[in-house]
Amino acid sequence: MTVEQPFLPAEFSHNSAEYIPDPFSFYAEMRAGNPAYWSERIFGGAWLFFRYEDCLRLMTDERLSNSRAAVPLRFLSEPQQREFADMIGVYERWLAFHDGREHTMNRRQVNRSYAPFSEAILEPRIQNLVDLLLDRVDPDGFDLMSEFAFPLPAMVIADVLGVPTEAHTELTRWTDDIAHLFGSTQVSVEHLRRTQASTRELVAFLASPECAAAAARQKGLLHRLHTTEVHGHHFVEDDVIAQAALLLFAGIASIRYLIGNSVHALDARPARDRELLLSADTVKCAVEELLRWCTPVQFVGRVVKEDFTFTSSGGLRIPFSSQSPVMLYVASANRDPDKFSRADELVLDRPLPNEHLTFGAGRHLCFGDPLVRQTTRIALASLYRRMPNLRVLPQILNWNNNLGFHGFTSLRVAAETVTDEASGRTE
């Protein structure tokens, strides 16, 4: 059956400045009129899905593969692709791009390596880094992103890995190049070459004797990935470095933009809503709702392993062709009114479980999701505990340059004072 597709703006892409500030209106149109859409423009031909039910079903469909490291290179000829073989070789080792038995084995290995890093162990370490950064800002006005949300996740993940937190600037630069590659639908060969250089530098840093020695002293995750064995299986050096690079790439961008998006979303909220982040009884609900509403990673990708037909929630029978990319817009699914009541509202006391798809679903659920949740919770609680009247200042909003990783590159804020009219005092 041929699927009729009367609507998709020709200019829509992950790098279109028209759509980046507010993709949610576009998502709503697509959910209503074209919940499953074949786009010739996205990666040279890809299926796009926007409804919750379709995204959830396809995330857990074994006929789709996570082996998608080379998808951003589809526009290149085969000889051109070979130029970047070493870079793609690093990404192909990522747990996130594995399937089947290989994924199960490597996921078990990573989980066992990460087991000692419980919330109780990490809580004071993350809090110390949050306090260190907030002690430096000027409450009368500072850039939330460059002074806090950018350095914090790189420092937290470096600390977990056991490598020097002072390297956060370089870690952020290297992983930003990788994030632009996977968050975009339009990349230049020049950017690919810059990303290749950044990937090589990141690998060299993580493989350096200095990092190995530091991680061994601190019993960091980088060391544990080297030394942990499960059922006779252990990671080789290249796998260790790849998993560490994956945690940095995925965690830095997710935490950074979630913090910025959350502060922006909370700006117009009454004080009682922010106070939900300060109480152990309500903070989990609030953070889960911010994950749903402020989704930092807008889509999850898959690749079709075999030809098959999928019947979408819109009643369309869709013929899938092998090797076709599939784009599942989780940020759209998270606002689907067929799944969530008051889907277009930020409801900070929304009851648990909040079944958003921000971290995916099924066996490929993001393994770094506890660290994202914990770091975001501590960061926001600390901000509003120290600066309960924190406000976003009037400004032209500066957005990241790709829709895949959605958020701000800068966000000016200030801790406004409140005047006690009876006494004339300020607090």
Side-chain angles (χ1 to χ4, degrees):
M1 171 182 175
T2 301
V3 180
E4 294 185 7
Q5 301 174 81
F7 170 78
L8 183 71
E11 69 275 14
F12 172 71
S13 77
H14 293 175
N15 304 93
S16 172
E18 179 180 350
Y19 291 91
I20 289 174
D22 175 24
F24 304 104
S25 300
F26 166 70
Y27 294 156
E29 290 184 56
M30 296 306 288
R31 284 195 306 270
N34 288 276
Y37 195 92
W38 173 258
S39 169
E40 296 286 351
R41 181 179 177 83
I42 304 298
F43 295 125
W47 279 104
L48 318 183
F49 289 87
F50 298 91
R51 287 183 178 169
Y52 184 96
E53 182 181 339
D54 289 338
C55 290
L56 178 61
R57 288 172 59 197
L58 288 167
M59 278 182 194
T60 55
D61 195 315
E62 295 298 325
R63 296 170 296 185
L64 300 185
S65 171
N66 262 294
S67 182
R68 51 193 169 88
V71 166
L73 273 61
R74 282 169 58 91
F75 73 99
L76 297 177
S77 66
E78 287 191 16
Q80 286 178 306
Q81 290 185 29
R82 285 195 289 272
E83 178 183 345
F84 305 101
D86 68 318
M87 176 180 75
I88 297 302
V90 174
Y91 308 153
E92 286 176 335
R93 291 179 177 272
W94 286 356
L95 170 69
F97 290 163
H98 293 165
D99 292 315
R101 183 177 178 275
E102 181 183 36
H103 174 266
T104 300
M105 181 172 58
N106 290 336
R107 180 68 179 246
R108 186 185 298 125
Q109 192 80 15
V110 168
N111 288 347
R112 180 72 62 84
S113 300
Y114 193 81
F117 300 94
S118 65
E119 281 204 4
I121 293 293
L122 292 179
E123 188 84 6
R125 292 162 60 171
I126 297 173
Q127 187 67 64
N128 285 341
L129 293 171
V130 166
D131 291 340
L132 176 69
L133 291 171
L134 290 180
D135 286 344
R136 297 173 179 172
V137 305
D138 179 357
D140 291 333
F142 66 98
D143 186 345
L144 177 77
M145 304 309 293
S146 66
E147 297 180 58
F148 184 64
F150 268 67
L152 177 64
M155 294 169 75
V156 167
I157 298 172
D159 180 62
V160 170
L161 289 171
V163 303
T165 59
E166 295 80 7
H168 67 84
T169 301
E170 290 79 12
L171 292 172
T172 297
R173 176 173 59 82
W174 296 329
T175 56
D176 275 358
D177 282 338
I178 300 172
H180 181 72
L181 175 64
F182 284 104
S184 302
T185 48
Q186 298 172 349
V187 291
S188 64
V189 172
E190 178 186 6
H191 179 78
L192 283 169
R193 288 173 178 151
R194 186 167 74 247
T195 306
Q196 184 177 50
S198 289
T199 302
R200 287 170 175 169
E201 290 173 23
L202 175 59
V203 166
F205 171 80
L206 292 170
S208 68
E210 293 79 10
C211 279
R217 285 195 305 271
Q218 298 179 46
K219 296 183 172 56
L221 181 60
L222 186 68
H223 176 70
R224 290 193 58 81
L225 287 168
H226 272 288
T227 57
T228 300
E229 184 173 303
V230 181
H231 302 319
H233 174 259
H234 66 275
F235 283 132
V236 300
E237 172 74 7
D238 287 347
D239 287 331
V240 169
I241 301 308
Q243 307 322 319
L246 169 61
L247 183 62
L248 286 160
F249 149 71
I252 287 174
S254 297
I255 296 168
R256 167 204 305 165
Y257 295 126
L258 182 57
I259 291 171
N261 294 348
S262 297
V263 169
H264 184 258
L266 290 164
D267 184 53
R269 310 292 292 199
R272 65 178 177 272
D273 282 356
R274 299 168 179 216
E275 288 168 3
L276 296 174
L277 291 161
L278 307 182
S279 169
D281 294 332
T282 55
V283 66
K284 286 187 177 180
C285 289
V287 169
E288 291 307 309
E289 179 67 353
L290 289 167
L291 281 163
R292 182 190 76 86
W293 178 258
C294 302
T295 314
V297 181
Q298 297 276 292
F299 70 89
V300 170
R302 295 286 190 270
V303 176
V304 180
K305 287 195 296 189
E306 59 190 73
D307 295 356
F308 72 97
T309 299
F310 174 77
T311 303
S312 79
S313 60
L316 298 174
R317 290 178 58 81
I318 300 165
F320 276 137
S321 299
S322 180
Q323 302 305 309
S324 296
V326 175
M327 313 301 294
L328 309 174
Y329 287 87
V330 295
S332 174
N334 285 350
R335 299 197 186 193
D336 188 339
D338 289 338
K339 173 63 180 178
F340 299 98
S341 65
R342 302 166 65 189
D344 282 328
E345 297 179 41
L346 179 63
V347 184
L348 289 166
D349 57 355
R350 188 181 296 275
L352 298 175
N354 188 324
E355 296 179 320
H356 61 76
L357 298 180
T358 298
F359 294 117
R363 67 176 63 189
H364 288 286
L365 190 73
C366 176
F367 86 88
D369 67 299
L371 189 60
V372 174
R373 285 183 167 98
Q374 186 178 18
T375 303
T376 303
R377 170 178 59 77
I378 297 171
L380 293 176
S382 298
L383 273 168
Y384 291 116
R385 187 173 290 113
R386 285 179 172 228
M387 294 174 268
N389 301 303
L390 186 73
R391 288 289 180 265
V392 175
L393 297 173
Q395 63 198 284
I396 296 173
L397 294 174
N398 294 308
W399 293 89
N400 184 34
N401 58 13
N402 67 78
L403 187 59
F405 294 92
H406 189 245
F408 305 104
T409 56
S410 67
L411 192 67
R412 295 290 302 176
V413 298
E416 293 186 355
T417 58
V418 176
T419 300
D420 182 337
E421 295 182 0
S423 66
R425 291 183 298 106
T426 59
E427 300 175 355

